[in-house]
Amino acid sequence: MTESARHPALSARVWPVLAVGEWFKARRRPASYITFGFFAFITLMDHGQSLLRSRRDADFSYALPEAWSSVFSDDSVLLLFFGCIALVMLVSSEFTWRTARQNVIDGLSKTQWFWGKAMLLPMIGAVLLATKLSIGGGAALLAGGLDGLSGPAMPSSVWRAAGGLFLAFLTVGSLAFLFSTWIRSSGPAMAAWFFWVAMGEQIVPQLLGRPFPVLREALGYLPFNAAGRLLEFWAFDSTAYQRVVAAAEAAERTPPPPPDLSLAVAVNAGWVVLLIGLAFWLYGRRDL
């Protein structure tokens, strides 16, 4: 028996319909425009400042391909935060306004509704990532131009770093999605997500890491901390890593160890599968 026969609600023809429906609804929600607008504004101000400084200060360089290190590392965590805020508001409000129940009454199955909402994860991540690369790369291009490039304007490391940032968002976004479908109210779901990120993954590991050092490394692979291992551009670019090592040695500090990307990618992918699976299990145990 084929997969579509066992699960007719998720046949190949259903996925595009779900994606189009979620994209249509997300584009009509003020929450989408507010979070996107704030993210785009902050990103524009950040890289616009670097552009203006490069015009005023002859000793400051902000040109491709070296500028990609700043594009990815300076404010990448903002993409995670704004993306998760948008996701929580878009998903949780469906329960608050009873539109989730109405969608099922109108013909969607509970399974179709869930996976339609889950498709918001890659949608939001792709939109914010494209915005970040366009603004950051565009500012660096205006600052330095294409003359005298030290290498390709968009080396392969940029695409790897973009993939890493996208996976990092999927990890942290899956946690936000879990709280959204479990708590089913925007305010409490967002508060729970922030509490987990700030308290559960920052303060608690520090407190437990002092008497139990062995836990410090293990707790560093919790979702948000694991995602953080994919945010630094030098983890994907050997030249950028050499600059980081040289700067650390010049400052008489211990340089960061070479990144273990295979482990970081595996852990993040595992978290995405686990968190989405847990969200689906909890969602299926309750009525809409």
Side-chain angles (χ1 to χ4, degrees), residues 59-72:
D59 296 328
F60 179 77
S61 175
Y62 188 70
L64 300 177
E66 290 79 11
W68 286 118
S69 180
S70 298
V71 171
F72 277 96

Side-chain angles (χ1 to χ4, degrees), residues 22-272:
E22 293 304 325
W23 178 252
F24 176 79
K25 287 191 289 185
R27 287 192 300 111
R28 297 174 64 88
R29 288 288 310 281
S32 302
Y33 292 101
I34 292 173
T35 51
F36 173 79
F38 272 113
F39 175 75
F41 176 76
I42 293 174
T43 304
L44 182 62
M45 292 297 99
D46 182 21
H47 297 293
Q49 182 180 14
S50 298
L51 169 61
L52 294 177
R53 183 182 174 187
S54 68
R55 298 287 178 85
R56 296 193 302 262
D57 188 354
D59 296 328
F60 179 77
S61 175
Y62 188 70
L64 300 177
E66 290 79 11
W68 286 118
S69 180
S70 298
V71 171
F72 277 96
S73 300
D74 283 355
D75 58 357
S76 291
V77 71
L78 291 179
L79 186 149
L80 307 184
F81 275 92
F82 278 99
C84 289
I85 290 172
L87 183 69
V88 169
M89 290 193 292
L90 289 174
V91 175
S92 296
S93 60
E94 295 268 356
F95 297 104
T96 304
W97 297 342
R98 299 293 183 182
T99 51
R101 176 178 295 181
Q102 187 61 47
N103 288 159
V104 172
I105 294 174
D106 291 341
L108 282 180
S109 69
K110 285 186 63 177
T111 299
Q112 288 174 335
W113 185 92
F114 177 89
W115 290 109
K117 289 301 170 202
M119 293 177 75
L120 285 172
L121 264 170
M123 288 181 188
I124 293 173
V127 169
L128 295 186
L129 180 60
T131 301
K132 179 180 179 64
L133 296 183
S134 299
I135 294 176
L141 183 61
L142 289 174
L146 293 174
D147 298 332
L149 290 175
S150 60
M154 293 192 69
S156 59
S157 56
V158 172
W159 301 108
R160 293 195 298 271
L165 179 54
F166 184 72
L167 177 56
F169 171 72
L170 293 183
T171 301
V172 182
S174 296
L175 182 64
F177 186 73
L178 169 61
F179 285 127
S180 299
T181 54
W182 178 30
I183 299 177
R184 302 188 174 190
S185 179
S186 298
M190 198 171 299
W193 182 84
F194 274 110
F195 181 84
W196 177 278
V197 169
M199 185 73 178
E201 295 204 30
Q202 306 303 320
I203 298 177
V204 171
Q206 291 182 12
L207 295 177
L208 294 179
R210 294 173 183 174
F212 306 104
V214 68
L215 289 177
R216 183 174 301 172
E217 181 66 21
L219 295 175
Y221 285 96
L222 290 172
F224 188 79
N225 289 330
R229 297 172 182 265
L230 298 175
L231 299 185
E232 295 293 345
F233 185 68
W234 55 259
F236 304 89
D237 188 276
S238 57
T239 302
Y241 177 68
Q242 292 170 4
R243 290 198 298 266
V244 170
V245 171
E249 292 175 346
E252 298 182 349
R253 292 184 284 105
T254 302
D260 188 352
L261 282 178
S262 58
L263 177 60
V265 169
V267 170
N268 278 272
W271 276 121
V272 174

